[in-house]
Amino acid sequence: MASLAPPPPYHPDLLRTIAGAIAASADRRITFAEYMAIALYDPAAGYYATRAARGIGPGGDFVTSPHMGPDFGELIAEQLVDFWQRLGRPDPFDLVEMGAGQGLLAADILAYLGDRHPVCYGTVRYQIIEKAAAAIAAQRQRLLPWGEKVTWSTWDEIPSKSIRGCCFSNELVDAFPVHRLRWGGDQWQEIYVALAPDGSPTPLMDTLGPPSCDRLVPYFDLVGIDVTKLPNGYVTEVNLAALDWLEVVGDRLERGYLLTVDYGYDAARYYQPAREGGTLRCYSRHAHHGDPYAYIGYQDITAHVDFTALERWGDRAGLQTLGRTQQALFLMALGLGDRLNALANSPDGHPLDLNTLLRRRDTLHRLIDPLGLGNFQVLIQTTELDDRDTPRGLREPRF
Ligand SMILES: C[S@@+](CC[C@H](N)C(=O)[O-])C[C@H]1O[C@@H](n2cnc3c(N)ncnc32)[C@H](O)[C@@H]1O
């Protein structure tokens, strides 16, 4: 494949907005979370405003599981049917997808439910919560065939305790703006963003200051990390937006489940002393690197997810953890192994031609690749405190 030219160093309008926010702040600096929120979600020039429709996918900056074909969505749909049954087949059954990107997962789930689980499908009310207007436009286009079955809302439009069903997301939480911190041997300092002096290689730079809010330092107690074991100069991130989000979901969900698929670790691995530079990653044109001030507005910026924080804060928000597993095991438990076997056995007597077979096998393998998507975490939380039965996707997979 011909290598693509790198994007420009920054989007001029976006840099003006960021510089304006820095100039308007008392100390001439903004938190990294404020910077990330503008760089990704500024409505006019943020990464997701200009790249939502084109940035994700084989021709863009990175791919996600739904880009591998419909299998991911179809197997998730099997888990959703399991939830529906466990809840006593509610009608309506709310499916709330958060951060739906280009709407691929929604289309795969709806098509599969309509085809294979028509009774459940008949009860589904599919709602999307999406931050980027450009992504909403792409979703509306793709989901036209489902008409009024799909609606778009903001959290403010959804009343407290009104959702009965499942809220779910793929690669949402890693896209939340994070704070960056540096351990100085005896205390934390926050890494802020400031304008770099003229002539610097990038227009923005890190600058240190005291933590911007009193929720940052106690975060490490929440997730059980002894920070005195961290080396001097250790840099990491804290995702407070994920905690806020859990509270909103916990408030809106009357009965049901929260299903979160994303890359990350438990806190002990996330904040291990050897991970001295944190997990911040920037994606542009299928390459990744660690410089958040490169290609401003033209690259995605993400941080891994601390699943211990989701579990512990979820408990406080009325969302008890039912279990967590890896994507590979989750998809195998829901039938991906059967799909692989079906390829080899060609039960309909019409073997696939070799190219199709190899492509399809490659697709399925990529979803369970232990060095890639298969290593993502799948977390299931619930309001149903009496629900002791293991969800299908968390059961022992059949091989
Ligand atoms: C990495 S993309 C993943 C898209 C899609 N789920 C997929 O798997 O291809 C993250 C998506 O989450 C959206 N997003 C980020 N923060 C959000 C928020 N607070 N509420 C709703 N959507 C959000 C982004 O606009 C984008 O569509």
Side-chain angles (χ1 to χ4, degrees), residues 41 48 56 62 64 66-67 97-101 129-132 135 170-172 174-176 300:
Y41 304 111
Y48 280 102
I56 318 178
F62 60 96
T64 60
H67 289 96
E97 185 181 351
M98 303 161 290
I129 311 264
E130 170 57 58
K131 197 177 176 88
N170 183 57
E171 296 207 37
L172 168 74
D174 72 77
F176 287 164
D300 193 18

Side-chain angles (χ1 to χ4, degrees), residues 116-133:
R116 300 295 178 89
H117 298 280
V119 181
C120 174
Y121 175 79
T123 67
V124 164
R125 239 179 5 188
Y126 204 104
Q127 297 184 65
I128 292 181
I129 311 264
E130 170 57 58
K131 197 177 176 88

Side-chain angles (χ1 to χ4, degrees), residues 72-105:
F72 180 73
E74 293 176 359
L75 295 168
I76 295 258
E78 287 291 343
Q79 179 57 72
L80 298 174
V81 173
D82 179 45
F83 288 151
W84 178 64
Q85 285 164 342
R86 298 154 78 91
L87 287 170
R89 304 176 165 226
D91 184 2
F93 176 48
D94 292 311
L95 294 180
V96 181
E97 185 181 351
M98 303 161 290
Q102 296 153 339
L104 289 169
L105 181 59

